[in-house]
Amino acid sequence: MSSVVVSNYAGSLDIAAIRAAFPILSTTVNGKPLVYLDNGATTQKPQRVIDTINEYYTRHNSNIHRGVHFLSQYATDAYEVTRKKIQRFINAKHDHEIIFTKGTTDGINLLAYSFGKSSIQPGDEILISAMEHHSNIVPWQIMCEDRGAVLRVIPMNEKGELIMEEFYKLLNSKTKMVAITYISNSLGTVNPVKEIIDAAHQKGAKVMLDAAQAIHHIAVDVQKLEVDFLVFSSHKMYGPTGVGILYGKEELLNAMPPYQGGGDMIKTVTFEKTTYNELPFKFEAGTPNIEAGICLGAAVDFIESIGIDHIAAYEEYLLNYATEQIKQIQGVRIIGEAAHKSGVLSFVIDGTHPYDVGVLLDKMGIAVRTGHHCTEPVMNFFKVPGTIRASFAIYNTKEEVDALIAGLKKAVMMLL
Ligand code: PMP
């Protein structure tokens, strides 16, 4: 896979050079070259991220924000550089609007708890959508139960697109939060988030975008979107696991109580009364995942070295090519045929179980995900037990799509 010809791709990315930056891509699985198409679950890591982890533990390991000594200050600076890089990457107004979390799930739990406590009264409504990841369902269910609020769901159509007329009907003055995925992890649908944000704001509701599947595929500009909160995970954007980001508008974060208590989030502590630290530290209790925070900065550098718009264009080409090619396989039903999609091709094949297809592909070195993708309501809606999901990243190639198609043809022959 070293010299990759990308026919029909009008851009000028050197995909072979990009692939060379990912050591894992030259490994073999079951004696076959690895074809990694499970990027929706997590992306592989470029050498510069791996090197940064190594360098941190070899030369800079220390706890942050507290020490006066050289190593502590070095680690603190490196960690805070990532905050600034993320601020720039998503175009936030202030760096203290960038809260480090453990990941998307952690960010949504923080928000649901803290916003729920400060802003939700019995009878208030939270709007989510029919295509949410469990991470963007369950924390709101827990919060609604706690606060006596009502969870409402924007339905979708057979193509996997939100039914916007229904959204407008559901949105009302009791709606306090619209928490919605930017891009669906099981369907690939890109939702009309700007329209949703503008409509929600007109009714006085806040909006949280789950950008777990968007942040590494398309440009995200929080000021342009005017979104109130945004969450994502480092590990899906070429960075390490165990760290993620909650962005929130300063005035909204200031109005929310802390989620967890402990070190770093306090100003002063006595047994009688504790005063809380300022943003962002109010929401960052305890020693964070320092190494991952620093390395997330290296992941942002990687993305910016290519350019998010180039990434979006190339991945769109790959998805279109894969979508076209998969139709050759008899009995394929694509799950998720929205007009605007990114990153994900989900499908089922008549007479086969997704799990069996996944196991056979694995024998050929092809990694796809099978199952409900943490979106059981989506599977129930489409009346399937699960799907086979190929999800793309910048290092995938047309040849890998061809390998997937050939592998699927073989699998189908063996199973039917
Ligand atoms: N939301 C979406 C849309 C996702 O794709 C994922 C991960 N599959 C999550 C939330 C949860 O992310 P994490 O497990 O990194 O917290």
Side-chain angles (χ1 to χ4, degrees):
M1 293 271 169
S2 55
S3 71
V4 179
V5 180
V6 185
S7 59
N8 307 325
Y9 167 63
S12 56
L13 289 179
D14 184 349
I15 301 300
I18 291 171
R19 288 181 68 80
F22 289 79
I24 206 170
L25 296 180
S26 53
T27 57
T28 54
V29 167
N30 292 321
K32 304 284 182 338
L34 169 66
V35 174
Y36 186 76
L37 297 172
D38 193 18
N39 297 288
T42 199
T43 53
Q44 299 301 344
K45 317 304 169 199
Q47 191 66 52
R48 72 166 83 192
V49 169
I50 300 167
D51 287 347
T52 308
I53 297 172
N54 190 18
E55 188 179 307
Y56 172 71
Y57 283 118
T58 309
R59 301 182 52 208
H60 304 132
N61 175 52
S62 187
N63 210 333
I64 56 171
H65 294 146
R66 288 182 274 267
V68 292
H69 59 82
F70 172 80
L71 284 182
S72 178
Q73 292 196 3
Y74 191 98
T76 302
D77 288 350
Y79 191 74
E80 291 302 322
V81 162
T82 295
R83 202 187 303 273
K84 287 201 161 31
K85 281 183 185 170
I86 295 288
Q87 177 201 353
R88 202 193 53 238
F89 188 57
I90 64 171
N91 193 29
K93 208 170 189 178
H94 308 289
D95 60 357
H96 54 256
E97 295 177 318
I98 307 298
I99 312 291
F100 281 108
T101 64
K102 287 188 288 180
T104 305
T105 305
D106 193 40
I108 300 173
N109 276 277
L110 186 168
L111 182 65
Y113 172 86
S114 199
F115 183 81
K117 216 168 162 199
S118 62
S119 308
I120 301 298
Q121 306 301 327
D124 284 347
E125 296 180 3
I126 307 295
L127 257 186
I128 60 171
S129 89
M131 64 179 79
E132 298 309 317
H133 189 281
H134 297 164
S135 292
N136 199 32
I137 302 174
V138 186
W140 299 110
Q141 281 176 330
I142 294 171
M143 186 273 269
C144 284
E145 209 166 291
D146 254 24
R147 308 291 304 171
V150 182
L151 190 67
R152 307 219 128 167
V153 182
I154 309 163
M156 62 182 168
N157 63 24
E158 290 292 329
K159 287 179 161 177
E161 295 165 329
L162 294 182
I163 305 175
M164 291 302 281
E165 306 85 75
E166 296 299 323
F167 162 65
Y168 285 106
K169 280 189 212 155
L170 285 165
L171 188 65
N172 67 73
S173 58
K174 284 188 280 180
T175 313
K176 292 293 177 289
M177 172 67 77
V178 181
I180 201 147
T181 194
Y182 200 147
I183 298 180
S184 155
N185 68 308
S186 53
L187 303 169
T189 310
V190 182
N191 283 317
V193 295
K194 183 59 181 153
E195 183 182 341
I196 290 171
I197 292 163
D198 290 347
H201 285 171
Q202 276 187 11
K203 294 280 181 196
K206 306 297 178 219
V207 178
M208 184 216 82
L209 289 184
D210 173 351
Q213 298 293 340
I215 195 72
H216 55 307
H217 287 314
I218 56 174
V220 173
D221 181 328
V222 291
Q223 290 193 73
K224 212 165 173 186
L225 287 168
E226 296 179 277
V227 68
D228 302 293
F229 302 99
L230 182 107
V231 287
F232 55 91
S233 301
S234 152
H235 70 95
K236 293 184 197 285
M237 55 183 292
Y238 310 105
T241 47
V243 70
I245 299 295
L246 163 67
Y247 157 81
K249 286 181 183 160
E250 178 185 38
E251 65 276 17
L252 299 176
L253 291 173
N254 271 331
M256 286 162 41
Y259 175 47
Q260 293 183 322
D264 256 20
M265 55 72 72
I266 55 94
K267 211 173 243 166
T268 58
V269 177
T270 67
F271 288 116
E272 290 71 39
K273 173 118 189 101
T274 290
T275 54
Y276 304 132
N277 208 338
E278 284 159 7
L279 291 176
F281 308 111
K282 183 173 87 171
F283 292 108
E284 295 181 353
T287 301
N289 192 336
I290 303 165
E291 154 239 311
I294 292 172
C295 295
L296 170 57
V300 172
D301 293 343
F302 167 75
I303 292 174
E304 289 186 330
S305 73
I306 302 169
I308 192 74
D309 292 334
H310 289 296
I311 293 176
Y314 177 69
E315 289 177 347
E316 186 182 358
Y317 153 73
L318 267 188
L319 179 61
N320 289 342
Y321 179 70
T323 304
E324 201 181 280
Q325 293 300 308
I326 208 159
K327 290 177 183 161
Q328 291 174 19
I329 296 166
Q330 258 209 328
V332 157
R333 175 182 163 211
I334 295 176
I335 305 293
E337 294 188 288
H340 193 188
K341 280 182 69 173
S342 174
V344 167
L345 180 60
S346 245
F347 55 95
V348 290
I349 306 175
D350 279 352
T352 68
H353 194 284
Y355 175 83
D356 297 333
V357 177
V359 168
L360 288 174
L361 288 176
D362 178 55
K363 299 268 179 284
M364 304 173 215
I366 303 168
V368 292
R369 178 132 310 217
T370 61
H372 56 58
H373 318 296
C374 293
T375 55
E376 277 190 47
V378 172
M379 302 301 125
N380 294 339
F381 176 83
F382 285 100
K383 299 187 177 56
V384 292
T387 73
I388 305 154
R389 182 186 72 179
S391 51
F392 301 101
I394 186 59
Y395 42 66
N396 289 127
T397 65
K398 178 174 178 281
E399 287 74 7
E400 288 183 314
V401 173
D402 293 337
L404 170 70
I405 303 301
L408 285 170
K409 284 181 181 163
K410 245 191 240 171
V412 168
M413 264 185 357
M414 289 161 93
L415 291 169
L416 291 182

